[in-house]
Amino acid sequence: MHARTHQPEREGAKNIVYDIAFRPDGSQLVAACGTRVLVYDAADGNLLHSLKGHKDAVHCVAYSRDGARFASGGADKQVIIWTTNAEGILKYAHTEPVQALAYNPMTHQLASATAADFGLWSAEAKSVPKHKLPSRATCASWTNDGQHLALGLFDGTVSIRDRNRPDTEKVRIERHAPIWSLAWNPSRDEAYDVLAVACWDQTLSFYQLSGRQMGKERDLGYDPCCVSYFSNGEYVVMGGSDRSAALWTKDGVKLVQIGEGKDWVWCCRQRPRNNMVAVGTNDGTIMMFQLQFNTVHGLYQERYAYRDYMTDVIVQHLMTDEKVRIKCRDYVKKIAVYRDRLAVQLPERVLIYKLAHADDAMDMNYKPCEKINKKLDCNLLVVTSEHVILCHEKKLQCLDYRGDIVREWMLEATIRYIKVVGGERGREGLLVGLESGAVTKLFVDNPFPVQLVKQSTAVRCLDLSPSRKKLAVVDENATVSVHNLETGLVELEEKNANSVAWNTELDDMICFSGNGTLSIKTADFPLHQQNLQGFVVGFKGSKIFCLHYVEMKTIDVPQSASLYQYLEKRDFSAAYKVACLGITESDWLQLGNEALRALEFKVARLAFIRVKDLRFIDLVRIIEEARKVPNHDDNLLIADVLAHQGKYPEAARLYTKAGQVERAIQMYTDLHMWDEARQLSGAAGLGPRSDLDRRQAVLAEEMKNWRAAFKSYMAAGETLEAIRVVERNEGAVEDLAELARSLPATSKDELAACAAYFKKAGAAQYAKEAFTKLGDYQALVALAVEHGQWEEAVDLARKHPQYTAQVYLPYAAWLALQDRFEEAQDAFKKGGQPEQSVRMLEALVHNAVVEARPADAALYLFLLAGERLKQAVAEEGRMGGDLGLGPAAAATNGLGRRGSSRGTMNGNGGEGGGGAAGEGRSVSALAGPGRAQRRSPREEYEQVYAKAEVYSAYAIVHRFTEEPFTTEQPETIFHACRFLLARITRDAPWGVSKVNVLTALAKQARALGANKLARYAFDKLSSYRLAPAIRDQVELQTIAVRARPFADSEELLCMCYRCRTNNPLLNTSADECVACKHPFVRSFATFDQLPLVRFDLPPHIGPEEALRLVAREPPPMTRAKKAPKKSNPWQDDGNAQILSLGGDDMEDDDFDSDDPFVQALNESVSESSTAFRAVEVDEEMLLSFRREHVFVQKWPSSAVPWTWWKNMIPELAISQCSTCNHFFNAEEWEFAVLSKGCCPFCRAPQDVSE
């Protein structure tokens, strides 16, 4: 089909169509015709615009890839840019006529070539750069990526330029004649860019971008004027001096001539998105041709061959979907396939291929075997084993493989359809459908055709059944008719059919298609229909081959419908044949079960063999052998089959019908269908059967279905067995709980078993109910303890004291795990094992020291000290002895701070300050000396208490040395270090590092100006074995501190508030005054010294009486004359002689000299003594005291007497912890309680308001 338009001469000038271009969407065609640019509607050929922008002949036109504009150039040396609305928007000129235009597909840059140069125009540039050419340009084309431009020159060269460097030639291709046209393949699927070059040496050649030629050049026999690609790059359109346009493949194989004109063809282009080609000629004619690419194919059973790319043949195996490509390298006109043969008709010859392995149904290896070198014209082509059949309207010609005519048949009408239906080799039969409606059968070795059927309308399609007894014909009225060739009757007629095919494996199954529907007819059953687009061309087994346009599809058709239709008719043989076509595994099982139920053993066996069901194969054998037994009952055999198939009610019904009720009951019991078994037993009049319950219980237990076993045992009346089973069932607690509630209290064994299970299962409430019902209070206590119900356990212990130890000891252990140690101590005592409390505290002390938690160690040591004292007092009381607290001991030994503590620090720490965890130190070594070393409970208490104070102070040093940041003030660290060095001069407790203490002391002393003390600390550190890095720092700091004055800042010196003597910053013997031996009392928050002086009560005044006297309002006092100073300023304390200088003594006004207590202090100081002795006060002194100035340390045992202290500077408020008896600066105490809510030392809860 083609359309033609002709442009007449204008003003005597011939209108030559030099070039044409399509808009990328295919809607417009632009032609360079004479001096005008013509714009046509590409759909109907109407002229839309005739543009007059040029003054001379227009040579070339080009459309941009985006379709927004097109360009034209001509002999007037002008290039005009036009919009799609035919409006000229821009014009630029060359110095020579414009010969070619090409738009860049990516950047929309326009290349314009002339006889002398070429230019590159872009919308962004202000000018058009031009580049010289060595010869006249005739054509131009861009690559797909827009990076390279190919220019064809009149001198026979192709110049390829880079877009970024257009002035430099990248590749040069040389030919022997002018290059009149060239084009790059537009396909992006190619591995590389391909350039088609049409040269006036009458050749067509192909090149890569590198300039390498691809294949041989093609001789044309004429001068080519135009070469262009289809938009998909598969085909090439070319025209020239032969006055025609031809279609070529992309590989350079000529296919067909598209059209022919009356003059040279200057241009030809494919219309985008359409199979249409426009051709422009020298006489001003523009022709549009419609190309039709018909499907060329052939089919035989499961082998389908079709044409691809016009020159290739693809053979597809429809069962495996395997494909093989055969390259013919020529235009393929016809294809025929039969068994192992393949015939391909080319323009000048016919090629015959055969399979390499003809006996292999899956072989796809075709090899050439014969060739007929003749040009054969025919409407249809058929191939057989030894012949080729050609169809010419009414005539059939049979040729051998040499091309010789063997036989001819002249039929009565035009042949519409032909098909090879098989036969012996060289004697194959053909079915021929004629336009007259006749269907003729002929054989290649017989000259006489035989008419099979005569219809009134032309034959469109036909097929013969596998048995050759039935013929299906589709006529022009879309009616399919099935003819019985034996009887001559029409067995089936259906409308809306365009093609038909018999199932090659089942004679009773046929399919046909039409109006988008696939219809399958099996025997005399109703049609099975489903949606299908296309034509049915083959039917094999369960697969239907359908041709939809140019694509062959294989459709799996379920045969289940036909199978079940045959099963309904009880035709098992036919059902098996249908099943062999292809059904699912479940359908095979259904066929086997139905056949077995009907006692069709052969079909059943074959079906079960197909699915490899050995169990049913064996069942078929057993039933078949049982049926051979005389006097057998088919009902029993069928019942066995039904039972195996899972149809239990039907099987039971047949068993009952045959009088085998017990067999039916046995079947149900084997299947654990107990309700059905009981129902059947009742229906048969056998009554209730407890043995069924028993058997159900045993089987359920074997299957580990404990809940079902429990219920079955209960139904059988075996309660203990039911309870035993429940022990294995985690989900039967509720059932057993109901059982326990229903049992009377006399069922001891059953209740005990229930309670034991509840306890084991963690059902505490149910166990409690059972134990309560049994009256077993000991078990109740054990249950409460086990489940941590301590309130309930304690309540039971109160009601039943004999279980006190059973409750309180585990309760104490639980409290210890919850860090409630004080409550744990009370629980241990109530449980009758107070020594466990001591062991617990010793373990806590050990762990705290090992884990480097000195603050916790101090707390636990404090608690341990009190606990040991209480135990010792109780032990002494039981033995009728005393605690070794005689008057002398009470007078000379201070508690914690009274007297020297040198004897209390006898651990194994050494100079290094204690070893690491696991060095052999026991818990008792941390808590104090062994029992063999103890002299009295009070001394033991003091030793442990003193260690608690050491660890409390060391906690400050530990935080300073181990943590990156500390909130402690430098003075606090300084005082804590002084306190520690006074306490651990000889031996340090485990975990207390003397190196850390000295290091902290040295740093803080140096910072606070205590240079003498800092030098002492650094000198001591130098005597230890230190790590090299630490030693270097110590040596450096030692040198630095030696550069300072060897003296301590006077502001840091401490004064004894008893004797008013200024003491050095460090007393290596003890934390006491060097003059009067009075122990320093420190605030256990900052370890600063407090102005407290100790005094004792006379024997005739008890503690309560003393408190009463102190609480009274003191009488007014008169100042007495000052006692004269002693003339001798020297004093001797046994270790050294001390000179008291007048300037160093405190003024008399610092303390009230008229105060009896002050006078007593002065007198006690004047007495020379080597040991500290507290001032003993009388009633007058007690009456002179104010209650807020007196502090009493009340110790946890009455065996340890109270300790009395007086604040010598009333202006300084002091607070005391009532739990640990430590003193604190009032402000520090208030801050600690507000921030932590407890005492800094013992962590006892405190209230600031109190």
Side-chain angles (χ1 to χ4, degrees), residues 280-575:
T281 64
N282 191 63
D283 62 357
T285 301
I286 300 174
M287 297 178 288
M288 183 81 78
F289 296 91
Q290 174 73 48
L291 303 185
Q292 292 183 351
F293 293 88
N294 296 325
T295 302
V296 177
H297 60 150
L299 174 71
Y300 182 78
Q301 294 184 357
E302 68 274 6
R303 294 181 185 271
Y304 175 64
Y306 60 95
R307 181 176 66 183
D308 190 39
Y309 295 150
M310 307 297 285
T311 60
D312 295 348
V313 175
I314 294 179
V315 183
Q316 177 182 2
H317 198 293
L318 299 177
M319 301 298 291
T320 63
D321 202 34
E322 182 181 358
K323 296 180 180 180
V324 60
R325 179 182 293 272
I326 301 174
K327 291 183 175 293
C328 300
R329 294 179 175 83
D330 205 345
Y331 176 49
V332 176
K333 300 178 67 176
K334 298 286 189 302
I335 298 174
V337 61
Y338 173 73
R339 291 185 180 173
D340 63 336
R341 301 291 178 173
L342 172 67
V344 180
Q345 182 186 7
L346 303 178
E348 303 295 334
R349 62 193 183 278
V350 177
L351 302 178
I352 310 297
Y353 297 85
K354 70 175 182 179
L355 288 173
H357 304 90
D359 55 345
D360 185 0
M362 299 299 173
D363 184 31
M364 295 292 288
N365 186 14
Y366 282 92
K367 295 183 177 179
C369 65
E370 300 289 346
K371 182 188 297 185
I372 302 175
N373 290 314
K374 291 184 179 180
K375 182 177 181 180
L376 302 175
D377 292 326
C378 61
N379 298 329
L380 297 173
L381 176 70
V382 176
V383 66
T384 64
S385 300
E386 297 177 355
H387 301 87
V388 174
I389 312 298
L390 304 179
C391 176
H392 304 275
E393 297 296 332
K394 299 180 181 181
K395 182 173 67 173
L396 286 176
Q397 287 183 332
C398 179
L399 285 72
D400 59 18
Y401 286 167
R402 295 187 300 274
D404 300 331
I405 298 177
V406 177
R407 189 168 286 103
E408 289 186 351
W409 297 271
M410 184 61 68
L411 302 178
E412 64 182 51
T414 303
I415 299 171
R416 298 290 301 275
Y417 193 88
I418 184 170
K419 181 173 185 177
V420 182
V421 293
E424 295 182 14
R425 188 178 184 86
R427 303 183 61 187
E428 290 86 357
L430 303 176
L431 284 180
V432 181
L434 305 179
E435 191 175 14
S436 63
V439 177
T440 302
K441 182 176 182 180
L442 53 86
F443 295 91
V444 295
D445 62 340
N446 192 323
F448 303 104
V450 178
Q451 181 172 302
L452 299 178
V453 173
K454 176 65 175 179
Q455 297 189 150
S456 60
T457 55
V459 176
R460 178 188 292 183
C461 180
L462 58 83
D463 196 14
L464 189 65
S465 67
S467 65
R468 303 177 184 272
K469 296 179 181 180
K470 297 180 181 181
L471 177 66
V473 181
V474 178
D475 60 19
E476 284 295 328
N477 296 329
T479 300
V480 60
S481 304
V482 177
H483 301 267
N484 191 318
L485 300 180
E486 293 180 344
T487 64
L489 300 177
V490 177
E491 297 183 352
L492 174 68
E493 277 192 357
E494 292 288 342
K495 300 291 184 180
N496 300 322
N498 54 28
S499 60
V500 66
W502 286 97
N503 194 322
T504 58
E505 298 183 5
L506 186 63
D507 201 61
D508 290 337
M509 188 174 292
I510 188 174
C511 71
F512 56 90
S513 61
N515 289 344
T517 303
L518 171 67
S519 302
I520 302 175
K521 178 71 174 178
T522 304
D524 56 352
F525 300 127
L527 284 174
H528 170 75
Q529 293 184 329
Q530 66 184 60
N531 294 331
L532 176 69
Q533 296 294 329
F535 300 88
V536 169
V537 295
F539 192 5
K540 182 178 178 63
S542 62
K543 296 183 181 297
I544 291 179
F545 308 131
C546 170
L547 180 63
H548 184 52
Y549 293 106
V550 295
E551 181 183 6
M552 181 67 73
K553 295 182 179 179
T554 301
I555 301 173
D556 289 319
V557 177
Q559 300 292 346
S560 301
S562 302
L563 171 70
Y564 288 109
Q565 288 171 342
Y566 279 117
L567 290 179
E568 289 179 4
K569 290 181 61 177
R570 315 302 288 173
D571 188 350
F572 294 101
S573 178

Side-chain angles (χ1 to χ4, degrees), residues 919-937:
E919 292 185 356
R921 296 208 178 193
S922 64
V923 174
S924 59
L926 290 170
R931 294 188 180 274
Q933 298 175 335
R934 296 177 184 171
R935 294 187 298 274
S936 69

Side-chain angles (χ1 to χ4, degrees), residues 76 95 212 275 303 339 475 540 672 756 847 926 994 1006 1013 1051 1072 1099 1174 1231:
D76 61 352
T95 59
R212 178 181 178 184
N275 290 328
R303 294 181 185 271
R339 291 185 180 173
D475 60 19
K540 182 178 178 63
H672 304 171
N847 293 338
L926 290 170
K994 193 177 292 186
R1006 186 170 179 269
L1013 182 58
E1051 297 178 356
E1072 60 186 16
F1231 176 77

